């Protein structure tokens, strides 16, 4: 199972990097979204995918899945959500002020020329 | 903190009060207050002559950073006392001269005297420090204060150029010297010069010995303006003349000489030291004098002459070092070179100081220093003329002036080089002789140019800005004192020999001291009809002919193409450095975010990829892997399709929906892998995110709404593929080899007993690892505030 998940994570990273290298601001943000999905999935995979009960003691199971990676991912999800929403609003404002979302045009001026 | 330490630090402390003295006593020239200090210090240091004459030394230690072996150890022996007396003595005269030279109405005297005192303290620190790091600190302070003084008239372009040039060159040498000092420390474990000298026998075969030698010589050569680093000195002539007289002839440029002399006991046993010091010195002597003849500016002539004379002293120190290699019964036969070096050091300070002051007087009274405009000033300025005759004739090496004595000794030293039966000197020694003799001829010529082109010949009033007249008496006192010394040292050279020169020689070549503890120097005026005398006669005859026919052979200076000068090389390399670094920066700092991301990702791929290959880190095993279920395979396929759709989506709407599908599949994965809390959060977060994406999308411009096919860029794809592959490889390797067990057993066992909760994830979040959550809440809060302010706060149009 881990092999399959590793490959899937690789695909997510690849797509994320590809999108981040493009010119449109929106596509870059889409890339960051995919990247955080990939990272979360990677944490979960690295924690081990051995079958066991959900980490709830009420289950009275013999084996539980590892609760620690889940806690870490939960934190990461919330943080990446906060950052993503900030970025989205930033992109929206940037477009409002500058009338473009093309990164090549958002290059800024060379002060030394 | 002893009196000796205070003496070194006093100029710094005194400098603090200069601005106040300048501000509150505007009627009195600030220089008068400053003058007290060097005179007091000179008197103080004179007391030590008795101590050093009896072969004793004074050591006072003050802790600075004892844990690193860096202590402010002041050390007085013959050599440092000689320099301390020079610094304070010439310092007093120069300050006296500057009082009349600089106008109290027009000049910013507070700046001038603060810099000058800073320099004086730093220079005293250099010569009186026993600890190499302390010496280096003061050394750089002299560079810094020299920089400030050269750029004193900072509104002039040339001053700034000269200041920058001297700064770059001397700091370069200073840093190299620091490297050499550290190598010495690595070899001996001590920064103390005295301790290093005692350890010489052990370190002379060390691999770092020769590099340390070269680095330290770089420092000495740049500071003392040796070939090819002399180029800063002529440009430093933009400084006010008292500064040129003090720093750039008598004291600072001799710091390199001091360093060579001070470390001679350490390095003199190596042949490299002899060759580098004496060859560079003798060539500098020749080259400086050769170029001095070409100059038309009085101070430029003096600058090149300083270069030449410093080269002469340097070569004498090198030849003196060679004396250590001779196993002759009569050692003192070869030590004459060291004696000549010290004697000429003193003589040079006297006559060069007076000549600079003369140049300053001429400049001050006529408004120009160009010898093509000057001439016939003899009758206007008889006293100045007399002083300059004394100085220049002494520089040329004529009797009855002290320069004659030291030049004779110089020739003696060079002649004896050929008699040393080491390093092939019996054949190569002739080289020294030729350079020395030809250099002396040129020295004679420029000395004559200096005097006769200025004071004799045709008086050209139409070219002068002012009507020339004799300088005020105050301005003449200092050069008169120096010129008197020139004569006194000729007639009574032995007042110096036992009191100053002998103790100094003991510090430079301690291993060659005779049985009675002295060198028994007797400077005599008359050697009989020796080869030296004939050499001097030759110099005078050929020099006179050369001077008289100067107009005819001047053309040889034009043979040297302007493009090939060292100044040109310096300027070109500076410009090239500037341009190439700017070009290089422009080449990779493109301003496109995509390029920077490519650098980062490419670096990521290369570093991790090569590490995996070099360390053979990739491993793969299926041991302990969970079985693959059907649901997971289907879901993975859905996720992969969603991901790829995001890339290839023709419209942005499709891309957003595809991204959403990936997020929801992730939530389903969380369900399958038994993470209910994650699934819940992921669902909600994904929903809100997609809504936000759509919001952004809605505000996109009309033009951009046209669906464009994403241009497929091969580089982007390769980079992306690389990153994906690397991540997969690392994930597989990490999964195949687990280093240790997880700590989750603890959470499973204790979440109810210790924390009273059955949902382990939540217990970890709010109990075991509550701090994470606290700051995650903070992150959300900041994001919310940030979004609010981004939307609400606007810069008004007119404020933009």
């Amino acid at each position: 199972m881990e092999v399959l998940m590793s490959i899937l994570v690789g695909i997510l990273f690849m797509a994320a990097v590809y999108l981040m290298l493009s010119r449109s601001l929106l596509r870059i943000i889409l890339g960051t979204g995919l990247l955080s999905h990939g990272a979360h999935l990677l944490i979960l995979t690295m924690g081990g995918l051995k079958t066991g009960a959900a980490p709830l003691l009420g289950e009275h199971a013999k084996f539980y899945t590892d609760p620690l990676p889940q806690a870490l991912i939960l934190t990461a999800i919330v943080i990446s959500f906060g950052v993503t929403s900030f970025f989205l609003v930033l992109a929206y404002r940037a477009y409002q002020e500058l009338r473009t979302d093309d990164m090549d045009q958002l290059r800024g001026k060379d002060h030394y020329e | 903190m002893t009196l000796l330490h205070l003496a070194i630090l006093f100029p710094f402390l005194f400098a603090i009060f200069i601005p106040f003295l300048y501000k509150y006593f505007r009627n009195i020239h600030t220089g008068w207050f400053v003058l007290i200090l060097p005179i007091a210090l000179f008197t103080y240091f004179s007391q030590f002559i008795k101590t050093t004459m009896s072969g004793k030394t004074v050591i006072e230690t003050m802790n600075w950073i004892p844990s690193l072996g860096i202590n402010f150890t002041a050390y007085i022996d013959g050599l440092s006392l000689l320099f301390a007396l020079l610094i304070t003595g010439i310092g007093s005269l120069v300050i006296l001269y500057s009082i009349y030279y600089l106008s109290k109405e027009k000049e910013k005297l507070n700046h001038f005297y603060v810099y000058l005192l800073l320099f004086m303290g730093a220079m005293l620190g250099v010569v009186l420090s026993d600890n190499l790091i302390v010496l280096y600190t003061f050394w750089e302070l002299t560079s810094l204060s020299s920089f400030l003084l050269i750029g004193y008239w900072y509104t002039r372009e040339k001053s700034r150029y000269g200041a920058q040039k001297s700064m770059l060159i001397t700091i370069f040498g200073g840093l190299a010297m620091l490297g050499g000092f550290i190598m010495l420390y690595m070899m001996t474990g001590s920064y103390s010069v005295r301790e290093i000298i005692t350890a010489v026998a052990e370190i002379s075969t060390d691999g770092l010995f020769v590099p340390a030698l070269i680095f330290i010589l770089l420092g000495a050569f740049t500071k003392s303006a040796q070939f090819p680093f002399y180029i800063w000195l002529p440009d430093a002539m933009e400084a006010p003349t008292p500064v040129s007289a003090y720093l750039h002839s008598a004291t600072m440029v001799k710091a390199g000489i001091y360093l060579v002399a001070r470390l001679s006991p350490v390095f003199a046993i190596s042949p490299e030291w002899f060759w580098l010091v004496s060859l560079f010195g003798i060539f500098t002597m020749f080259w400086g004098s050769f170029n001095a003849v070409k100059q038309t500016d009085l101070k430029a002539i003096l600058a090149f002459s300083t270069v030449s004379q410093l080269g002469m002293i340097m070569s004498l120190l090198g030849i003196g070092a060679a004396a250590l290699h001779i196993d002759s019964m009569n050692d003192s036969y070869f030590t004459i070179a060291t004696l000549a070096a010290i004697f000429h050091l003193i003589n040079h300070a006297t006559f060069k100081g007076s000549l600079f002051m003369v140049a300053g007087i001429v400049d001050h009274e006529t408004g120009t220093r160009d010898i093509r405009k000057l001439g016939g000033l003899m009758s206007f300025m008889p006293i100045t003329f007399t002083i300059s005759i004394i100085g220049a004739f002494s520089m040329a090496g004529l009797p009855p002036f002290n320069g004659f004595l030291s030049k004779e000794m110089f020739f003696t030293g060079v002649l004896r080089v050929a008699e040393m039966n080491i390093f092939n000197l019996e054949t190569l020694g002739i080289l020294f002789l030729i350079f020395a003799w030809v250099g002396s001829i040129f020295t004679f010529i420029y000395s004559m140019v200096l005097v006769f082109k200025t004071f004799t010949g045709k008086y050209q009033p139409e070219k002068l800005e002012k009507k020339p007249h004799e300088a005020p008496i105050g301005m003449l006192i200092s050069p008169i004192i120096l010129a008197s010394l020139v004569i006194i040292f000729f007639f009574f050279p032995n007042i110096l020999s036992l009191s100053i020169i002998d103790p100094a020689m003991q510090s430079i070549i301690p291993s060659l001291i005779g049985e009675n503890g002295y060198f028994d120097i007797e400077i005599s005026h008359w050697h009989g009809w020796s080869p030296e005398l004939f050499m001097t006669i030759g110099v005078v005859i050929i020099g006179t002919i050369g001077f008289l026919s100067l107009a005819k052979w001047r053309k040889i200076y034009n043979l040297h193409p302007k493009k090939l000068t060292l100044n040109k090389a310096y300027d070109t390399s500076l410009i090239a450095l500037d341009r190439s670094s700017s070009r290089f920066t422009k080449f990779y700092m493109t301003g496109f975010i995509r390029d920077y991301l490519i650098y980062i990702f490419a670096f990521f791929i290369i570093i991790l990829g090569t590490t995996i290959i070099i360390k053979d880190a990739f491993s793969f095993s299926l041991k302990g892997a969970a079985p693959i279920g059907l649901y997971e395979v289907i879901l993975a396929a859905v996720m992969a399709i969603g991901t790829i759709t995001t890339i290839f989506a023709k419209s942005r709407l499709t891309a957003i929906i595809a991204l959403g599908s990936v997020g929801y599949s992730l939530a389903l994965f969380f369900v399958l892998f038994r993470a209910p809390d994650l699934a819940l959060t992921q669902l909600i977060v994904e929903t809100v995110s997609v809504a936000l994406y759509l919001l952004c999308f809605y505000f996109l411009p009309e033009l951009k709404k046209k669906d464009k096919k994403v241009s497929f860029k091969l580089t982007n794809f390769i980079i992306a593929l690389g990153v994906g592959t690397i991540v997969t490889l690392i994930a597989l390797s990490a999964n195949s080899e687990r280093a240790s067990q997880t700590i989750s057993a603890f959470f499973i066992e204790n979440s109810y007993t210790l924390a009273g909760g059955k949902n382990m994830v939540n217990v970890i979040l709010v109990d075991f690892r509550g701090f994470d959550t606290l700051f995650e809440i903070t992150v959300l809060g900041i994001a919310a505030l940030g979004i609010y302010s981004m939307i609400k706060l606007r810069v008004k149009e007119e404020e933009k």
Side-chain angles (χ1 to χ4, degrees):
Chain A
M1 192 69 237
E2 278 86 350
V3 178
L4 182 69
M5 297 314 284
S6 297
I7 293 168
L8 188 59
V9 167
I11 292 172
L12 277 168
F13 267 79
M14 186 191 76
V17 169
Y18 186 81
L19 283 170
M20 285 163 84
L21 291 175
S22 56
R23 280 172 64 172
S24 149
L25 194 54
L26 193 71
R27 279 170 68 88
I28 291 175
I29 300 175
L30 286 173
T32 59
L34 281 182
L35 196 69
S36 48
H37 287 334
H40 300 156
L41 200 56
L42 186 64
I43 300 174
L44 194 72
T45 314
M46 293 293 103
L49 297 173
K50 290 187 192 67
T51 43
L56 302 165
L57 285 176
E59 300 270 306
H60 299 295
K62 203 173 182 188
F63 299 108
Y64 292 101
T65 51
D66 196 335
L68 189 59
Q70 296 193 12
L72 296 180
I73 295 168
L74 198 60
T75 312
I77 288 175
V78 175
I79 289 174
S80 66
F81 167 69
V83 175
T84 306
S85 50
F86 184 85
F87 277 166
L88 275 169
V89 176
L90 188 65
Y92 154 72
R93 285 287 295 132
Y95 175 70
Q96 262 193 341
E97 293 286 329
L98 304 166
R99 311 309 301 170
T100 180
D101 72 331
D102 186 342
M103 288 316 287
D104 286 6
Q105 288 177 28
L106 289 171
R107 190 175 153 234
K109 287 193 182 72
D110 202 337
H111 296 287
Y112 297 101
E113 279 173 15
Chain B
M1 179 80 73
T2 60
L3 198 57
L4 186 55
H5 288 115
L6 270 180
I8 298 170
L9 297 177
F10 216 79
F12 297 109
L13 299 175
F14 199 72
I16 298 171
F17 297 102
I18 296 294
F20 299 105
L21 291 171
Y22 176 72
K23 196 176 170 192
Y24 294 111
F25 298 95
R26 287 308 292 257
N27 297 327
I28 308 167
H29 196 288
T30 318
W32 290 112
F33 301 109
V34 183
L35 185 59
I36 307 162
L37 182 73
I39 293 176
L41 288 175
F42 184 76
T43 329
Y44 172 72
F45 284 119
S46 306
Q47 297 169 3
F48 289 101
I49 293 179
K50 272 186 189 161
T51 319
T52 54
M53 265 176 83
S54 57
K56 290 187 194 119
T57 53
V58 180
I59 304 163
E60 303 283 0
T61 304
M62 189 174 92
N63 281 359
W64 184 16
I65 318 173
S67 57
L68 297 178
I70 298 171
N71 293 310
F72 187 6
T73 307
Y75 177 61
I76 289 193
D77 64 352
L79 184 66
S80 44
L81 187 66
L82 159 69
F83 273 90
L85 289 173
L86 268 185
I87 293 159
T88 49
I90 307 273
S92 317
L93 296 175
V94 160
I95 289 170
L96 178 65
Y97 175 78
S98 72
I99 292 171
Y100 291 92
Y101 186 83
L102 294 172
S103 146
K104 76 171 178 243
E105 280 86 26
K106 289 180 203 153
E107 304 287 354
K108 287 181 179 135
L109 294 176
N110 49 345
H111 294 190
F112 183 79
Y113 287 110
V114 166
Y115 301 160
L116 204 66
L117 283 176
L118 195 66
F119 168 77
M120 190 184 288
M123 199 62 210
L124 281 176
V126 166
V127 299
L128 294 173
S129 297
D130 177 59
N131 192 290
L132 288 176
I133 296 296
V134 179
L135 193 153
Y136 172 74
T137 313
F138 284 120
W139 182 278
E140 292 298 31
L141 265 176
T142 64
S143 297
L144 186 70
S145 49
S146 165
F147 168 79
L148 291 168
L149 283 166
I150 296 169
Y152 175 64
W153 287 309
Y154 54 83
T155 46
R156 298 183 190 171
E157 163 111 42
K158 276 179 135 185
S159 296
R160 297 198 303 268
Y161 173 78
Q164 187 205 36
K165 193 172 182 179
S166 75
M167 183 81 155
L168 286 177
I169 293 177
T170 52
I171 296 283
F172 159 75
L175 281 177
M177 189 183 82
L178 179 64
F181 286 171
I182 291 168
M183 286 179 198
L184 273 183
Y185 178 76
M186 286 163 72
M187 288 186 284
T188 60
S190 169
Y191 281 122
S192 159
V193 176
R194 285 172 301 120
E195 287 171 25
I196 289 171
I197 289 172
T198 56
V200 174
E202 303 150 33
I203 61 168
S204 55
T205 50
D206 200 298
L208 283 177
F209 187 71
V210 175
L213 184 158
I214 290 168
F215 278 166
I216 288 173
L217 276 186
L218 264 179
F221 282 1
T222 49
K223 199 74 161 184
S224 281
Q226 299 295 297
F227 188 87
F229 305 112
Y230 68 86
I231 50 171
W232 66 268
L233 191 61
D235 284 304
M237 291 301 130
E238 291 304 320
T241 304
V243 172
S244 313
Y246 188 37
L247 274 70
H248 306 127
S249 78
T251 53
M252 188 183 85
V253 286
K254 290 191 176 129
I257 304 273
Y258 169 79
L259 191 72
V260 168
R262 173 56 81 206
L263 293 177
S264 272
V266 181
F267 291 116
I269 43 167
S270 74
E272 289 88 354
W273 179 266
F274 162 73
W275 281 117
L276 287 171
V277 174
S278 58
L279 264 190
F280 272 94
I282 201 82
F283 186 72
T284 311
M285 190 236 166
F286 161 73
W287 189 248
S289 61
F290 175 69
N291 276 297
V293 179
K294 174 172 75 164
Q295 308 302 321
T296 53
D297 179 78
L298 283 181
K299 278 176 86 175
I301 298 177
L302 290 172
F304 277 102
S305 120
T306 304
V307 170
S308 159
Q309 306 274 320
L310 290 170
M312 172 175 156
I313 300 172
M314 194 67 95
S315 70
L316 283 170
L317 283 175
I319 294 168
L324 290 180
H325 296 268
I326 312 286
D327 296 322
S328 146
M329 290 302 285
N330 189 3
D331 278 329
S332 63
Y333 187 66
F334 294 105
T335 53
I336 189 150
T338 312
L339 166 66
I342 300 167
F343 192 37
H344 195 71
L345 182 87
I346 302 168
N347 293 345
H348 177 249
T350 56
F351 65 70
K352 192 52 65 65
S354 67
L355 283 175
F356 264 110
M357 290 176 187
V358 163
I361 290 171
V362 170
D363 187 16
H364 210 262
E365 303 306 328
T366 63
T368 182
R369 294 192 314 244
D370 193 330
I371 54 170
R372 288 168 299 190
K373 294 181 186 169
L374 294 166
L377 296 178
M378 186 167 62
S379 51
F380 296 100
M381 314 166 121
I383 304 174
T384 318
F385 173 60
T386 316
I387 297 166
S388 70
I389 284 264
I390 294 170
F393 279 24
S394 176
M395 183 156 73
L398 299 176
F401 307 108
N402 58 5
F404 171 72
L405 298 177
S406 43
K407 183 138 299 181
E408 292 290 283
M409 280 190 247
F410 169 55
F411 284 150
T412 314
V414 173
L415 279 168
R416 286 182 188 172
V417 164
E419 294 174 31
M420 298 178 175
N421 293 314
I422 43 164
F423 317 138
N424 297 325
L425 275 178
E426 55 273 24
T427 45
L428 288 171
I430 194 79
L431 200 68
F432 284 89
L433 203 59
I434 292 168
F435 273 132
W437 195 63
V438 176
S440 298
I441 293 172
F442 282 112
T443 306
F444 184 87
I445 297 174
Y446 72 68
S447 302
M448 296 307 116
V449 168
L450 201 63
V451 179
F452 293 113
K453 295 271 178 195
T454 316
F455 291 98
T456 62
K458 203 167 143 268
Y459 171 52
Q460 300 160 300
E462 70 282 356
K463 290 187 183 167
L464 299 181
E465 291 167 25
K466 305 175 191 169
K467 173 110 177 70
H469 54 80
E470 188 58 87
I473 184 68
M475 221 170 184
L476 288 168
I477 297 172
S478 301
I480 287 174
I481 293 174
L482 286 170
S484 324
L485 285 177
V486 167
I487 299 177
I488 293 170
F489 287 161
F490 173 78
F491 286 108
F492 310 101
N494 290 314
I495 54 169
L496 287 176
S497 59
L498 270 184
S499 57
I500 308 269
I501 299 177
D502 198 277
M505 281 177 77
Q506 290 174 25
S507 329
I508 301 175
I509 38 175
S511 54
L512 294 180
I513 304 177
E515 281 165 11
N516 59 352
Y518 294 103
F519 282 96
D520 287 331
I521 311 161
E522 186 73 32
I523 301 173
S524 60
H525 300 94
W526 180 250
H527 303 278
W529 293 101
S530 56
E532 294 91 317
L533 193 64
F534 288 111
M535 280 171 78
T536 307
I537 294 170
V539 166
V540 174
I541 294 170
I542 300 181
T544 314
I545 298 169
F547 172 64
L548 294 175
S549 59
L550 185 59
K552 285 176 194 154
W553 59 270
R554 261 194 96 93
K555 289 181 199 110
I556 62 157
Y557 287 108
N558 301 333
L559 294 178
H560 189 62
K562 280 227 162 79
K563 276 183 185 171
L564 289 177
T565 57
L566 285 168
N567 274 320
K568 185 83 186 166
Y570 165 84
D571 290 337
T572 324
S573 60
L574 212 58
I575 293 168
L577 186 71
D578 191 36
R579 273 201 198 140
S580 58
S581 61
S582 132
R583 223 175 266 168
F584 180 64
T585 311
K586 266 185 197 158
F587 167 71
Y588 79 94
M589 297 293 281
T590 55
F592 295 114
I593 194 161
R594 175 176 169 263
D595 291 342
Y596 304 145
L597 285 173
I598 285 179
Y599 303 149
I600 294 169
F601 287 131
F603 194 73
F604 174 85
I605 296 166
I606 291 165
I607 290 293
L608 291 177
T610 43
T611 311
I612 289 175
I613 293 166
I614 289 170
K615 297 277 174 191
D616 194 22
F618 181 70
S619 69
F620 181 74
S621 93
L622 287 171
K623 205 178 79 181
I628 299 176
L630 181 63
Y631 292 129
E632 287 93 337
V633 174
I634 295 169
L635 203 52
V638 170
M639 203 164 180
I641 291 165
T643 310
I644 291 171
T645 317
T646 320
I647 306 178
F648 292 105
K650 284 180 184 172
S651 83
R652 285 149 202 246
L653 193 58
T654 324
I656 291 168
I657 291 168
L659 180 70
S661 78
V662 174
Y664 289 123
S665 334
L666 185 62
L668 284 176
F669 264 123
F670 289 148
V671 172
L672 284 178
F673 292 132
R674 294 174 181 81
D677 301 282
L678 287 186
L680 211 60
T681 318
Q682 178 65 26
L683 268 178
I684 294 162
V685 163
E686 195 58 34
T687 312
V688 180
S689 298
V690 169
L692 272 171
Y693 277 110
L694 288 171
L695 192 69
C696 261
F697 177 77
Y698 176 76
F699 282 103
L700 281 178
E702 288 293 326
L703 185 76
K704 296 277 175 181
K705 270 184 185 168
K706 280 183 190 166
D707 294 339
K708 271 193 296 188
K709 191 179 186 296
V710 184
S711 59
F712 186 85
K713 283 188 179 147
L714 192 65
T715 17
N716 292 5
F717 178 71
I718 291 168
I719 297 266
L721 190 68
V723 171
T725 318
I726 291 281
V727 170
T728 306
L729 288 180
I730 290 173
L732 288 175
S733 309
N735 234 330
S736 305
E737 282 185 28
R738 288 189 179 275
S740 56
Q741 282 296 313
T742 67
I743 55 165
S744 295
F746 171 83
F747 297 120
I748 295 166
E749 275 171 32
N750 293 312
S751 46
Y752 190 71
T753 48
L754 287 182
K758 289 185 176 175
N759 183 334
M760 283 179 256
V761 175
N762 285 6
V763 167
I764 291 172
L765 280 174
V766 298
D767 198 305
F768 290 125
R769 298 178 58 91
F771 273 121
D772 286 358
T773 314
L774 176 66
F775 291 107
E776 158 199 344
I777 291 166
T778 317
V779 168
L780 267 192
I782 291 171
L785 280 175
I787 290 167
Y788 178 80
S789 45
M790 257 197 300
I791 291 173
K792 281 288 169 188
L793 297 181
R794 297 290 153 91
V795 183
K796 289 193 184 105
E797 272 307 313
E798 61 266 26
E799 285 174 22
K800 268 184 188 172

